[in-house]
């Protein structure tokens, strides 16, 4: 089983903005100044289009959908929280903790992907409507090691332990739950800001992990054959260095996608380690998306695990 895909789903925003509801559990967001509110959408739209062009120029297939006009979903640019696809034929949709993000789930996209690739849909979204709701926000909440058939999850208000275990049971993956802390000592909101898993390596914000869980996480990664590349707290908290994704282009080359902020924060030693495991590093200039949205390059990319999937635009 492969860890990487060469096709990505991205959502072009039509009403990007600072999400007040998400801010309650996302310490990575920064409220914009009042004088820049009128220009945010225009700037973000250009950052998005430039990122798509970079990926395509590198030989990566990108499937782009535009968000609905006059959308009330300011975080729609981050689709990996509501959908994941799998090489074993599943398309999974997830329960979202932030109420105004639930509108990001798109039946038209789900229908298109199932029609194209005959996925079996597994829908966990009803868990958000229970009297005691449970949340699991896709590959934000979880990191899949497809080669080692293991799923890693930092437990938080957005990542429920029992639902994480249910997801692991559904896919036949072992589960490694742990506690990880943000810059103010809060539970880190998404696992993918402090952990990136590639074919042969893992980038880990080791010092964000609770002392009682560090060895469990590191040992599990090493047992699956991953070289550990440690990230500092500053790199994780202030530069989104954990929010990276390894993908494959149409030539079979491996590409590690990240933001320019993440790339510029890496040391020469870390860059040397990453270049040993990847054919290319691809930094995207997305500072406004990161600052106001509180998510980075990996959050913008939902992996489509199929073969022979052409570039499409909708």
């Amino acid at each position: 089983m492969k860890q990487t895909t060469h096709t990505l789903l991205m959502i072009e925003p039509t009403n990007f903005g600072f999400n007040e509801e998400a801010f309650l559990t996302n310490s990575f967001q920064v409220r914009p100044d009042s004088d820049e509110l009128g220009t945010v959408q225009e700037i973000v739209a250009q950052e998005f289009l430039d990122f798509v062009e970079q990926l395509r120029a590198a030989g990566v297939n990108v499937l782009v959908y535009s968000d609905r006009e006059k959308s009330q979903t300011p975080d729609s640019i981050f689709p990996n929280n509501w959908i994941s696809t799998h090489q074993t034929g599943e398309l999974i949709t997830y329960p979202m903790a932030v109420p105004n993000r639930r509108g990001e789930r798109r039946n038209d996209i789900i229908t298109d992907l199932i029609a194209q690739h005959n996925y079996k849909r597994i829908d966990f979204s009803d868990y958000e409507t229970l009297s005691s709701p449970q949340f699991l926000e896709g590959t934000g909440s979880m990191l899949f090691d497809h080669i080692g058939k293991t799923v890693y999850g930092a437990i938080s208000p957005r990542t429920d332990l029992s639902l994480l275990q249910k997801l692991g049971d559904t896919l036949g993956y072992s589960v490694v739950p742990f506690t990880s802390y943000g810059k103010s000592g809060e539970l880190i909101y998404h696992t993918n800001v402090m952990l990136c898993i590639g074919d042969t390596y893992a980038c880990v914000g080791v010092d964000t992990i609770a002392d009682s869980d560090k060895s469990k996480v590191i040992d599990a990664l090493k047992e699956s054959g991953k070289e550990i590349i440690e990230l500092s707290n500053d790199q994780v908290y202030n530069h989104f260095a954990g929010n990276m994704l390894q993908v494959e282009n149409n030539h079979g080359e491996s590409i590690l996608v990240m933001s320019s902020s993440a790339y510029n924060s890496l040391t020469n030693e870390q860059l040397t380690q990453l270049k040993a495991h990847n054919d290319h590093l691809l930094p995207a200039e997305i500072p406004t998306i990161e600052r106001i949205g509180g998510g980075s390059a990996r959050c913008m990319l939902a992996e489509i695990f199929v073969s022979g999937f052409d570039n499409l635009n909708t």
Side-chain angles (χ1 to χ4, degrees):
M1 188 174 290
K2 296 176 64 176
Q3 182 68 21
T4 55
T5 180
H6 58 71
T7 300
L8 301 168
L9 167 68
M10 299 180 70
I11 305 296
E12 183 175 9
T14 61
N15 190 29
F16 180 92
F18 182 82
N19 191 340
E20 292 282 357
E21 293 184 30
F23 184 56
L24 297 174
T25 53
N26 183 350
S27 63
F28 288 76
Q29 290 176 251
V30 177
R31 193 183 302 277
D33 297 331
S34 57
D35 60 353
E36 66 177 317
L37 289 175
T39 62
V40 165
Q41 172 59 35
E42 180 181 354
I43 293 169
V44 164
Q46 192 60 55
E47 289 181 1
F48 176 89
L49 292 174
D50 289 346
F51 189 10
V52 171
E53 180 56 34
Q54 273 187 278
L55 289 164
R56 288 179 171 161
V60 180
N61 293 333
V62 185
L63 171 60
V64 176
Y65 280 77
S66 290
D67 196 10
R68 301 178 181 91
E69 288 297 324
K70 299 182 180 178
S71 140
Q72 299 303 309
T73 51
D75 283 337
S76 62
I77 201 170
F78 305 128
N80 77 312
N81 298 143
W82 66 264
I83 189 171
S84 69
T85 67
H86 299 264
Q87 297 164 74
T88 44
E90 299 86 2
L91 181 154
I92 305 176
T93 47
Y94 296 95
M96 310 281 279
V98 179
N100 72 3
R101 294 205 62 191
R102 296 168 190 172
E104 295 172 24
R105 287 191 298 263
R106 294 273 296 274
N107 286 330
D108 58 329
I109 296 175
I110 294 166
T111 299
D112 286 353
L113 292 176
I114 291 174
Q116 285 273 342
H117 308 295
N118 198 31
Y119 290 122
K120 172 188 175 183
R121 183 179 179 184
I122 299 172
D123 186 10
F124 285 107
S125 62
D126 284 348
Y127 283 90
E128 71 195 15
T129 65
L130 299 177
S131 57
S132 297
Q134 298 170 285
F135 308 117
L136 188 67
E137 297 190 333
T139 54
S141 286
M142 303 169 288
L143 268 290
F144 290 111
D145 176 1
H146 294 298
I147 296 171
K149 298 193 75 173
T150 304
V151 57
Y152 296 79
I155 305 308
S156 77
R158 300 193 187 196
T159 305
D160 180 83
L161 175 58
S162 63
L163 203 49
L164 177 68
Q165 185 62 62
K166 184 177 179 64
L167 186 282
D169 293 342
T170 298
L171 294 177
Y173 280 32
S174 60
V175 174
V176 180
F178 60 95
T179 299
S180 180
Y181 296 107
K183 66 179 75 175
S184 300
E186 77 284 3
L187 291 173
I188 208 160
Y189 86 110
H190 274 159
T191 311
N192 73 1
V193 298
M194 51 71 61
L195 178 62
C196 164
I197 298 176
D199 286 335
T200 54
Y201 63 97
C203 301
V204 189
V206 174
D207 288 338
T208 71
I209 303 173
D211 290 342
S212 57
D213 287 334
K214 283 182 183 179
S215 61
K216 175 175 67 173
V217 174
I218 298 303
D219 289 349
L221 290 166
K222 287 182 176 179
E223 285 170 11
S224 67
K226 311 299 184 190
E227 178 187 354
I228 305 300
I229 300 172
E230 292 194 21
L231 301 172
S232 71
N233 283 5
D234 177 65
Q235 290 172 325
V236 170
Y237 296 152
N238 300 316
H239 303 283
F240 286 98
N243 200 244
M244 304 184 283
L245 179 67
Q246 187 183 41
V247 300
E248 186 178 298
N249 68 11
N250 291 320
H251 307 294
E253 298 172 320
S254 59
I255 301 172
L256 183 62
V257 183
M258 67 190 79
S259 71
S260 295
S261 177
Y263 180 88
N264 292 332
S265 78
L266 297 172
T267 66
N268 289 335
E269 180 181 0
Q270 289 168 326
L271 288 169
T272 297
Q273 288 175 294
L274 290 172
K275 288 174 181 177
H277 290 280
N278 296 279
D279 294 305
H280 307 283
L281 305 183
L282 190 157
E285 193 72 31
I286 51 172
T288 312
I289 294 169
E290 288 183 312
R291 180 169 54 88
I292 296 174
S296 188
R298 196 276 171 266
C299 301
M300 297 171 66
L301 310 173
E303 298 147 287
I304 305 299
F305 278 102
V306 294
S307 60
F309 196 47
D310 295 328
N311 255 355
L312 297 172
N313 292 276
T314 300

